[in-house]
Amino acid sequence: GSVLRRRLHSAGVPQRRLSGGERRDVQREILAVLGLPGRPRPRAPSRAPAAAAPLFMLDLYHAVAGEEEEEGEEAAVSRPVLTGLSTQSPPPGSVVSRADTVVSLVNMVEQDRDLFSPKPYWKELRFDLTQVPAGEAVTAAEFRIYKNRAAPGYANSSLQISIYEVEAQNSNRESDLLLLDVQDLRAGTEGWLVFDVTAASNHWSGDQKRSLGLRLYVETDDGHSVDPGSAGLLGRRGPRSKQPFMVTFSRASPSPGRVTR
Amino acid sequence: AARPPRRRQHKKSNELPHPNKLPGIFDDVHATEGRQVCRRHELYVSFQDLGWLDWVIAPQGYSAYYCEGECAFPLDSCMNATNHAILQSLVHLMKPEAVPKACCAPTKLSATSVLYYDSNNNVILKKHRNMVVKSCGCH
């Protein structure tokens, strides 16, 4: 991991002991510099990096930190080479630009229309977007989901997976959907699938959009609807290291005035 | 522990008369004997010492550095001096009470990235600009 730099103990220079209040002020000031309103308190034991999102983000961190070390401030975050920890492919295409903030979103509600419901079958995941920085422009967004080998019935067939944004839910008819991305693959394909959902981020600025519904449809070559679970797509009930998540890349506005305090 | 400051040797330069040799004006100038010239010093910010490793995933801390040292005439080329700083240090020689020496400050800063959990267990990678001193100079 990261190299522990030699910590300089100024021998002989008296170290002033801070009072409790001063220590809190120091921490609050550093948190403010880091752009945090307060000290985050993650729920689950945060030292269990086996979940998919932290593994992916740790890989991305090492790529970005390495760039900063070498080139200094203007380092363009070129396409990072993701190696080692997570076997996930780097963000698709030239998506990784000079992002100021990369957020992996793991909080979602899952809903399935499966074999016990009328066709077409689908899987829907609604993500909480509150952590997407409001003051920044989203430059790219991806949805990552793990696919196992499909059920034996589809062994040799090709599948088409389409992902839509659920724009509006209607009580008496089908929801309004916006097509975001499509992928064609073999039913036996195994691994992470990466969908580009940047198009859905157009109306995330400000407080308009606090959650995002993504709906997946799977079809065979001849247009038969396939239950996403039977196609091998893992939802929240999959192992932690294979649970779906979203990643957003955003950039601060050119000169965010530092708020005078 | 910080290294003991190296004693500065006087640079032998044949082209320009050494300031001390100019009649009258700079007679009382002493080379900055024993005082450190403006340069970068180690400063390590430890998230571990702050007790933050329950939410900061990486790094455990980072080297921020700081700038310290004299910006006294003559300003060597290694001191990244601006033209203005050179002039200011000249005027300081003549009117030390009226005009201060130039300041030793960062001339180049770079970013550092922090990977952390938020309170909802989302993982966030944030780049923070202007957090690491890459070089110091006289301003």
Side-chain angles (χ1 to χ4, degrees):
Chain A
S2 55
V3 174
L4 252 186
R5 291 291 165 83
R6 173 173 60 84
R7 192 169 308 124
L8 205 161
H9 295 283
S10 331
V13 175
Q15 185 118 2
R16 195 165 80 75
R17 287 207 63 77
L18 298 179
S19 70
E22 284 171 329
R23 285 172 62 85
R24 275 191 301 277
D25 288 346
V26 164
Q27 297 217 8
R28 198 177 305 121
E29 284 296 323
I30 300 178
L31 286 169
V33 168
L34 296 178
L36 292 168
R39 185 193 195 289
R41 299 193 185 282
R43 289 189 313 272
S46 58
R47 302 320 300 169
L55 280 178
F56 170 79
M57 293 294 283
L58 193 55
D59 236 9
L60 200 56
Y61 165 78
H62 285 306
V64 166
E67 293 261 348
E68 279 161 5
E69 194 97 352
E70 286 154 21
E71 293 166 18
E73 173 83 21
E74 289 77 28
V77 178
S78 58
R79 183 188 170 91
V81 177
L82 292 165
T83 53
L85 292 177
S86 106
T87 53
Q88 299 195 34
S89 62
S94 60
V95 157
V96 179
S97 59
R98 278 182 280 194
D100 289 308
T101 307
V102 181
V103 178
S104 68
L105 299 164
V106 297
N107 292 295
M108 71 199 98
V109 173
E110 183 173 12
Q111 186 184 351
D112 290 316
R113 184 194 274 179
D114 54 19
L115 298 172
F116 307 104
S117 321
K119 289 187 177 183
Y121 308 125
W122 43 256
K123 174 186 285 297
E124 183 174 313
L125 296 157
R126 181 160 292 275
F127 284 89
D128 166 15
L129 295 182
T130 46
Q131 285 315 312
V132 175
E136 298 191 359
V138 176
T139 54
E142 331 169 320
F143 168 67
R144 289 171 169 256
I145 188 166
Y146 192 87
K147 182 186 174 308
N148 273 336
R149 189 178 294 276
Y154 305 101
N156 298 321
S157 51
S158 294
L159 300 177
Q160 180 178 77
I161 303 178
S162 314
I163 186 168
Y164 293 82
E165 174 189 1
V166 181
E167 291 195 300
Q169 284 173 318
N170 308 309
S171 51
N172 50 8
R173 56 181 171 80
E174 197 52 82
S175 303
D176 299 342
L177 303 175
L178 167 71
L179 177 62
L180 298 173
D181 199 1
V182 179
Q183 285 193 29
D184 295 298
L185 40 86
R186 302 293 303 163
T189 300
E190 281 188 78
W192 284 97
L193 304 183
V194 183
F195 292 92
D196 184 353
V197 297
T198 308
S201 66
N202 296 338
H203 35 265
W204 286 356
S205 60
D207 290 331
Q208 295 164 8
K209 189 84 181 182
R210 288 299 98 191
S211 74
L212 170 68
L214 295 177
R215 186 179 287 184
L216 289 141
Y217 289 90
V218 184
E219 288 178 345
T220 58
D221 274 349
D222 41 22
H224 288 301
S225 176
V226 177
D227 162 40
S230 308
L233 297 179
L234 295 185
R236 296 201 65 212
R237 286 177 285 277
R240 269 170 60 87
S241 61
K242 294 178 178 172
Q243 290 185 2
F245 59 99
M246 266 184 66
V247 186
T248 65
F249 301 79
S250 56
R251 198 161 159 67
S253 48
S255 58
R258 185 171 170 79
V259 177
T260 50
R261 284 171 292 129
Chain B
R3 284 190 306 277
R6 274 176 279 122
R7 297 184 60 76
R8 287 193 36 71
Q9 286 90 18
H10 289 291
K11 263 205 236 140
K12 296 193 178 47
S13 90
N14 302 322
E15 300 83 25
L16 279 174
H18 196 280
N20 290 0
K21 296 293 175 299
L22 293 178
I25 302 176
F26 302 117
D27 282 351
D28 60 351
V29 166
H30 306 289
T32 52
E33 298 287 332
R35 277 173 288 171
Q36 285 184 354
V37 294
C38 172
R39 67 180 180 82
R40 191 176 79 154
H41 299 259
E42 170 88 17
L43 166 63
Y44 183 78
V45 175
S46 168
F47 296 141
Q48 187 167 11
D49 288 3
L50 285 162
W52 285 359
L53 294 192
D54 62 320
W55 61 276
V56 175
I57 300 171
Q60 300 210 349
Y62 74 97
S63 286
Y65 302 102
Y66 67 92
C67 298
E68 187 183 38
E70 286 276 306
C71 283
F73 183 82
L75 295 179
D76 287 339
S77 59
C78 69
M79 289 155 90
N80 280 333
T82 58
N83 291 337
H84 179 275
I86 295 170
L87 289 177
Q88 182 174 330
S89 62
L90 284 169
V91 175
H92 170 76
L93 277 182
M94 291 178 268
K95 300 179 181 175
E97 332 70 45
V99 175
K101 288 175 192 159
C103 303
C104 177
T107 51
K108 187 166 187 231
L109 292 158
S110 68
T112 192
S113 289
V114 180
L115 185 70
Y116 63 94
Y117 285 101
D118 70 7
S119 297
N120 298 314
N121 279 48
N122 296 305
V123 176
I124 297 176
L125 173 60
K126 185 108 175 119
K127 169 186 279 191
H128 300 284
R129 297 178 183 279
N130 303 330
M131 295 284 277
V132 177
V133 174
K134 295 299 267 190
S135 60
C136 299
C138 295
H139 289 251

